[in-house]
């Protein structure tokens, strides 16, 4: 299964179209944060932009820490979330080594990239792509 | 539809804030309209621009964050340049940050005891002491402010002023997120007078999408997004960006050179958009929420050692800054223009106003109207290093001459002489010497900006010397632009946002205006803005059109003074009639 990769972030112009698209289409919200992909400048805009996004770890370190199995490994990397089972403890967000899980303070649930690719077509600079995971993408 | 405007009101004198709600969405729409409405509510029309009670207002629009290119914030204040109501528009991340902080507008009143930074997000407000930043330039200030609260990297907007703002230069600007500005008319000086060095807006909350209309909203979004990213009309702003106009305007004999002594120069190639793009363009960046990405960042490489030792800086450039710090000062090297732009940025001056003011000073020195004891440096067109020094003197108000020049070229000229060659039309001219319509439009325009009515385009039409057609053109453009600025969209998105599209977008988000209601609201905003401008001292009869503009030679030939003055006369009447339509409700008595 393909995963979302921010492969060309050197090209990023910081328009946030990707985050806004994910928030809008996946999370039915208007937000910079309630989005699976979050864009940051690291030290002011002159240093360029980075994307924080689920790396589709295989196996994912966030899933085993979930006490209720609300997060389960997804085939091909990443995780699947069952909201009904979530007890809102936030452990998953703490366990993510790259801070790709945003623990939404209002809904009290983890927000992360589900690798659906809906943000890709909104990036005007082709920074993002859906691609097969390569060896170094997983943890193996 | 009836969601009220939510406004954060911060009083720096008392260090207290409150959240106020205004049930006036249908009347003020947002952006320019809202800013003018809030100004009427909060300002003291008769007090000095630097009076602590005067508000500094930031307003966004109903479509901010919801649609592409809806990325502008409208700043309004009493201008220290002319003592009148003024508006300035800025981008960067400011608009979306304010939206996600949860407010439609911010109003800052009072004056802090010590130099202060105001930081806020959806759940915090910090009024922070930054006395240690006194006199610090824009770049170092930015570095320090990035360490202050609220901490929310990438999702904050940082507004800041430099020494020019602290010293209350009449055209000190406000830097937004390093590469954008609230320029002209002295918003930076108003912040300086409030002892407000910076504003940090953290966009940390999440909002709901329009209830019950998500399908419709997503459809309209898609349509607009495709127009923006696929139609060539908007793409030009991304490619060469606005500097693509340098060569065409030079060819039209409409690009001001050396204090408008000429409108054409064979050296244009050395500072053209193409030159910048080929040799110096590092990359482009965007305002948040705008896929166009028109902000061009140039690389300034400088040798500092005997061997191959270089340092580099990133400097943003655009058409108008290249005019202000380039052609107007006779600079014919692109790195030279970047050197000056970086300097002007560092000090927190407006690049256009400062350039035009220094161009006047250069000619004044050349003609012996002023001496080197006044200018301190030997100003000469084309001399980059002389202008670097002069900018520092200007921002630092190093002597009486620079103090006067910091109030505007015409103010200095009134004192020292040389009024006929001060290129001032209400404020220092913008970079379009296209002809009479533009000269009158900038002189009398609401913001004294080329963007008020776009009359520089009308100058290029065949009937360019028809008073009625010109006024119709300017009025219809003004009406459309007020609408665009009230929804707080970027004017570069004009092609993607005809009125029908704006109406569709508003309706898809649950703001149900009929076309007629929207038209009426915009007309009322237009009248209201003009009424406040007149009420705060705007008198078109007193606005001069200096002699230099009558000598200008464009592709049409010389300026026709007869047409120009007749147009001015007629346009004044139109504006007066407009202003009379507004009845003040909250502030002050009617005159
Ligand atoms: S927040 Fe929910 S998904 Fe995350 S670890 Fe806790 S229960 Fe599992
Ligand atoms: S792939 Fe889907 S979930 Fe992931 S960032 Fe893109 S739109 Fe959001
Ligand atoms: S859409 Fe593309 S260019 Fe815009 S912020 Fe996202 S990655 Fe960067």
């Amino acid at each position: 299964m393909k995963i979302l990769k921010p492969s060309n972030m050197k090209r990023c112009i910081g328009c946030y179209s990707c985050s806004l698209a994910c928030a809008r289409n996946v999370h039915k919200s208007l937000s910079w944060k309630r989005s699976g992909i979050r864009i940051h400048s690291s030290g002011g805009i002159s240093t360029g932009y980075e994307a924080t996004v689920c790396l589709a770890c295989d196996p994912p370190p966030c899933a085993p820490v979930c006490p209720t199995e609300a997060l389960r490994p997804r085939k091909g990397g990443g995780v699947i979330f069952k909201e009904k089972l979530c007890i809102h403890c936030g452990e998953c967000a703490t366990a993510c080594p790259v801070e790709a899980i945003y623990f939404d303070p209002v809904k009290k649930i983890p927000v992360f990239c589900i690798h659906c690719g809906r943000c890709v077509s909104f990036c005007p600079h082709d920074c993002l792509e859906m691609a097969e995971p390569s060896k170094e993408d997983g943890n193996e | 539809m009836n969601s009220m405007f939510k406004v954060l009101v911060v009083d720096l004198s008392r260090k207290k804030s409150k959240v106020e709600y205004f049930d006036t969405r249908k009347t003020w729409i947002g952006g320019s309209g809202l800013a003018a409405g809030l100004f009427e509510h909060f300002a003291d029309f008769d007090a000095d621009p630097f009076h602590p009670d005067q508000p500094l207002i930031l307003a966004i629009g109903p479509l901010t964050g919801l649609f592409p290119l809806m990325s502008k914030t409208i700043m309004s204040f009493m201008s220290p340049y002319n003592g009148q109501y003024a508006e300035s528009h800025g981008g960067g991340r400011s608009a979306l940050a304010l939206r996600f902080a949860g407010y439609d507008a911010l109003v800052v009143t009072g004056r802090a005891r010590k130099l202060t930074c105001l930081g806020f997000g959806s759940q915090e407000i910090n009024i922070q002491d930054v006395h240690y930043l006194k006199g610090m330039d824009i770049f170092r200030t930015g570095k320090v402010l990035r360490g202050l609260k609220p901490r929310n990297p990438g999702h904050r907007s940082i507004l800041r002023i430099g020494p020019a703002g602290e010293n209350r230069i009449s055209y000190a600007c406000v830097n937004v997120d390093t590469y954008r500005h609230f320029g002209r008319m002295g918003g930076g000086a108003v912040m300086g007078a409030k002892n407000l060095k910076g504003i940090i807006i953290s966009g940390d909350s999440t909002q709901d999408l329009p209830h019950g209309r998500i399908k419709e909203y997503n459809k309209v979004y898609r349509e607009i997004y495709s127009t923006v990213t696929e139609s060539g009309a908007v793409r030009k702003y991304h490619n060469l960006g606005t500097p693509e106009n340098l060569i065409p305007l030079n060819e039209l004999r409409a690009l001001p050179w050396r204090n408008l002594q000429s409108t054409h120069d064979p050296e244009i190639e050395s500072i053209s958009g193409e030159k910048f793009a080929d040799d110096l363009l590092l990359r482009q960046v965007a305002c948040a929420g705008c896929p166009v990405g028109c902000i061009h960042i140039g690389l300034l490489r400088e040798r500092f050692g005997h061997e191959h030792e270089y340092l580099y800086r990133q400097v943003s450039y655009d058409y108008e800054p290249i005019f202000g710090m380039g052609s107007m000062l006779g600079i014919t090297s692109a790195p030279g223009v970047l050197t000056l732009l970086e300097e002007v940025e560092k000090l927190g001056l407006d690049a256009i106003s400062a350039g035009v003011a220094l161009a006047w000073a250069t000619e004044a020195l050349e003609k012996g109207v002023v001496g080197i004891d006044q200018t301190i440096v030997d100003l000469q067109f084309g001399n980059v290093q002389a202008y670097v020094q002069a900018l520092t003197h200007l921002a630092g108000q190093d002597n009486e001459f620079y103090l006067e020049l910091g109030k505007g070229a015409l103010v200095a000229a009134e004192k020292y002489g040389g009024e006929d060659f001060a290129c001032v039309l209400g404020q220092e001219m913008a970079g379009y010497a296209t002809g009479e319509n533009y000269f009158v439009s900038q002189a009398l325009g609401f913001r004294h900006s080329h963007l008020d009515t776009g009359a520089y385009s009308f100058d290029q039409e065949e009937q360019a010397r028809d008073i009625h057609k010109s006024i119709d053109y300017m009025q219809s453009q003004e009406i459309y632009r007020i609408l665009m600025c009230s929804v707080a969209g970027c004017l570069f998105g004009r092609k993607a946002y005809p009125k029908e599209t704006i109406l569709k977008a508003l309706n898809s988000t649950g703001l149900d205006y009929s076309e007629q209601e929207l038209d009426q609201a915009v007309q009322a905003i237009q009248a209201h803005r003009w009424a406040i401008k007149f009420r705060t001292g705007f008198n078109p009869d007193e606005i001069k059109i200096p002699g230099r503009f009558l000598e200008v030679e464009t592709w049409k030939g010389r300026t026709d003074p007869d047409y120009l003055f007749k147009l001015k006369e007629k346009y004044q009447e139109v504006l007066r009639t407009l202003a009379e339509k507004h009845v003040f409700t909250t502030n002050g008595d009617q005159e």
Side-chain angles (χ1 to χ4, degrees):
Chain A
M1 266 213 276
K2 290 190 171 175
I3 63 167
L4 174 75
K5 288 192 191 177
S7 312
N8 293 310
M9 286 306 288
K10 289 233 151 47
R11 292 186 188 174
C12 174
I13 55 171
C15 68
Y16 299 91
S17 299
C18 52
S19 308
L20 293 167
C22 179
R24 196 171 60 242
N25 293 318
V26 179
H27 302 283
K28 313 289 176 225
S29 302
L30 186 64
S31 179
W32 263 341
K33 291 194 162 285
R34 189 182 285 168
S35 161
I37 178 165
R38 291 179 303 284
I39 302 296
H40 305 270
S41 54
S42 31
I45 295 164
S46 56
T47 50
Y49 295 92
E50 289 163 19
T52 300
V53 70
C54 167
L55 298 181
C57 313
D58 193 7
C62 53
V65 302
C66 176
T68 61
E69 296 190 342
L71 273 190
R72 293 178 200 172
R74 170 180 171 274
K75 219 174 137 207
V79 273
I80 294 170
F81 177 55
K82 296 255 184 289
E83 189 169 346
K84 269 196 193 152
L85 304 180
C86 177
I87 56 160
H88 321 294
C89 66
E91 293 293 338
C92 51
T94 318
C96 176
V98 293
E99 293 182 8
I101 298 182
Y102 171 66
F103 193 75
D104 191 288
V106 178
K107 294 176 97 179
K108 303 260 188 297
I109 54 160
V111 172
F112 54 87
C113 174
I114 57 171
H115 301 284
C116 67
R118 285 205 262 180
C119 53
V120 175
S121 64
F122 285 97
C123 175
H125 259 212
D126 298 326
C127 305
L128 314 173
E129 59 171 353
M130 290 300 285
E132 292 300 335
S134 55
K135 279 249 162 61
E136 58 273 24
D137 283 325
N139 270 357
E140 290 171 308
Chain B
M1 178 73 212
N2 295 322
S3 65
M4 292 192 235
F5 287 120
K6 186 177 170 190
V7 180
L8 176 64
V9 185
V10 180
D11 179 350
L12 292 175
S13 302
R14 291 175 47 241
K15 289 193 165 186
K16 285 283 170 221
S17 310
K18 59 183 169 179
V19 177
E20 292 197 28
Y21 292 87
F22 294 88
D23 186 14
T24 45
R25 197 170 281 278
K26 271 232 155 143
T27 318
W28 298 129
I29 304 176
S32 281
L34 176 58
L38 290 171
F39 188 83
E40 181 172 336
H41 186 80
F42 284 97
D44 181 342
F45 287 170
D46 302 311
D48 183 85
F50 291 142
H51 192 284
D53 290 349
Q54 297 294 19
L56 177 77
I57 297 165
L58 294 180
I60 53 171
L63 304 178
T64 304
L66 282 157
F67 287 97
L69 279 147
M70 289 294 156
S71 44
K72 289 283 169 179
T73 304
I74 311 299
M75 177 181 273
S76 80
F77 51 88
M78 190 82 96
S79 168
Y81 185 90
N82 57 13
Q84 296 159 21
Y85 178 62
E87 228 183 58
S88 176
H89 304 175
R93 289 194 283 237
S94 59
L96 267 68
L98 198 51
R99 163 66 70 233
F100 294 135
Y103 298 104
D104 294 293
L106 166 74
V107 177
V108 185
T109 64
R111 174 186 292 152
R113 281 249 209 89
K114 286 186 178 167
L115 205 58
T116 289
C117 175
L118 165 67
F120 65 95
S122 63
Q123 296 181 343
E124 60 180 306
I125 300 171
N126 317 288
I127 297 178
Q128 307 165 80
D129 176 357
V130 293
H131 67 275
Y132 47 86
L133 295 182
K134 198 159 182 49
M136 210 178 261
D137 72 43
I138 291 285
F139 304 135
R140 287 175 65 208
T141 301
K143 283 202 179 110
V144 178
L145 294 188
R146 271 174 225 130
L148 299 184
K149 289 185 283 189
R151 292 188 185 88
N152 187 10
H155 301 143
R156 283 185 306 190
S157 179
I158 300 185
L159 279 56
R160 56 202 198 252
I161 58 167
E166 286 183 57
N167 293 339
R168 305 185 187 183
I169 307 291
S170 294
Y171 39 85
C173 71
V174 179
N175 178 294
V176 191
D177 302 323
T178 312
Y179 298 124
R180 297 278 90 181
H181 312 89
F182 292 100
R184 310 287 234 152
M185 302 320 259
V190 173
M191 276 181 69
K194 297 199 166 307
N195 256 332
L196 186 58
K197 184 76 171 167
I199 302 177
I200 302 172
I201 310 170
S202 166
D204 54 353
S205 78
T206 294
Q207 326 233 321
D208 292 335
L209 288 178
H211 291 289
R213 302 204 192 178
I214 295 185
K215 246 189 154 171
E216 171 65 10
Y217 162 66
N218 277 328
K219 200 178 131 233
V220 179
Y221 188 103
R222 253 288 178 206
E223 280 167 24
I224 294 173
Y225 191 87
S226 314
T227 315
V228 171
T229 50
E230 282 152 31
S231 89
V234 178
R235 192 174 299 138
K236 78 165 191 195
Y237 294 111
H238 182 72
N239 184 19
L240 292 180
T242 52
E244 84 165 17
N245 289 333
L246 280 149
I247 288 182
L249 278 166
N250 191 62
E251 262 160 26
L252 274 179
R253 303 193 166 265
L255 179 65
W257 282 90
R258 302 178 181 84
N259 201 36
L260 196 55
Q261 295 182 52
S262 163
T263 48
H264 170 90
D265 196 284
E267 294 280 338
I268 184 65
E269 306 284 341
S270 60
I271 57 163
S272 67
E274 289 77 356
K275 178 77 183 173
F276 275 90
D278 290 344
D279 294 359
L280 299 166
L281 178 60
L282 193 59
R283 62 203 176 94
Q284 288 117 313
V285 290
C287 290
C290 168
V292 177
C294 77
I295 308 169
H296 287 60
I297 316 279
L299 173 71
L300 181 60
R301 189 165 169 257
E302 209 175 285
R303 191 168 176 162
F304 66 88
H306 289 303
E307 299 187 336
H308 284 91
E309 293 175 306
Y310 288 95
L311 52 83
Y312 74 94
R313 300 196 200 87
Q314 303 180 38
V315 187
S316 70
Y317 64 84
D318 250 312
Y319 172 77
E320 301 248 22
I322 297 175
F323 143 73
M325 287 291 131
S327 65
M328 195 64 171
L329 295 176
I331 310 293
T332 50
S333 102
V337 175
L338 285 192
T339 302
L340 289 175
L341 283 176
E342 131 124 332
E343 202 58 31
V344 93
E345 188 82 86
K346 197 155 105 188
L347 298 164
L349 283 165
D350 180 86
I352 305 172
S353 304
V356 176
L358 288 177
W360 171 82
T362 309
E363 192 173 334
L365 183 65
E366 224 170 46
K367 294 204 153 95
V369 171
V370 295
I372 210 150
D373 42 330
Q374 269 123 4
T375 60
I376 309 175
V377 272
D378 188 9
L379 299 173
Q380 282 166 350
F381 289 119
N383 186 337
V384 175
Q385 285 317 315
Y387 290 123
V388 168
Q389 291 172 36
L391 284 167
T392 312
H393 295 312
L394 183 58
Q397 304 193 309
D398 288 349
N399 64 10
E400 199 187 89
F401 174 75
Y402 283 105
L403 194 116
E404 295 298 320
L405 197 61
K407 295 178 190 159
L410 204 52
V411 176
E414 274 159 10
K415 185 170 168 123
Y416 297 97
E419 284 177 63
D420 52 326
F421 57 86
C423 296
V424 174
L425 294 164
Q427 70 178 326
E428 279 64 21
M429 80 177 296
Y432 301 83
T434 50
E436 301 87 356
N437 298 294
Y438 163 68
F439 296 149
V440 170
S441 151
Q442 194 193 329
L444 302 190
F446 185 79
R447 296 198 285 140
H448 301 301
S449 157
H450 68 291
L451 289 169
D452 286 328
T453 66
Y456 58 95
S457 290
F458 184 74
D459 270 326
Q460 295 170 45
E461 288 183 14
E462 249 175 67
Q463 334 87 336
R465 282 181 183 139
D466 180 322
I467 290 184
H468 293 287
K469 288 208 173 107
S470 172
I471 287 185
D472 283 351
Y473 181 92
M474 294 199 278
Q475 281 294 291
S476 67
Q477 282 291 320
E478 184 182 74
I479 280 282
Y480 168 73
R481 285 159 195 245
I482 290 173
L483 171 61
M484 194 61 169
C485 296
S486 293
V487 294
C490 174
L491 284 172
F492 292 162
R494 297 197 293 276
K495 290 250 161 63
Y497 284 102
K499 183 174 90 182
E500 306 70 57
T501 305
I502 295 178
L503 192 62
K504 235 166 60 177
L506 283 166
N507 290 343
S508 81
T509 60
L511 296 167
D512 292 311
Y513 291 89
S514 68
E515 190 177 346
Q516 201 195 5
E517 280 172 326
L518 194 63
D519 289 347
Q520 276 169 1
V522 173
Q523 281 162 20
I525 292 169
Q526 184 191 31
H528 172 71
R529 286 164 91 226
W530 280 111
I532 324 181
K533 201 162 157 70
F534 276 98
R535 177 67 182 74
T536 51
F538 177 65
N539 182 357
D541 291 313
E542 280 175 5
I543 293 192
K544 295 176 189 153
I545 300 201
R548 178 60 43 91
F549 295 101
L550 309 179
E551 298 157 9
V552 165
E553 184 118 30
T554 69
W555 75 100
K556 291 182 294 191
R558 284 220 157 194
T559 304
D560 176 350
D562 185 51
Y563 172 74
L564 185 144
F565 288 112
K566 278 194 182 131
L567 178 65
K568 181 168 183 275
E569 195 85 353
K570 185 77 200 147
Y571 197 41
Q572 289 171 195
E573 260 176 62
V574 172
L575 298 180
R576 279 220 168 78
T577 317
L578 262 174
E580 278 157 17
K581 283 203 251 163
H582 179 74
V583 181
F584 286 100
T585 48
T586 46
N587 190 317
D589 3 82
Q590 259 194 277
E591 291 205 316

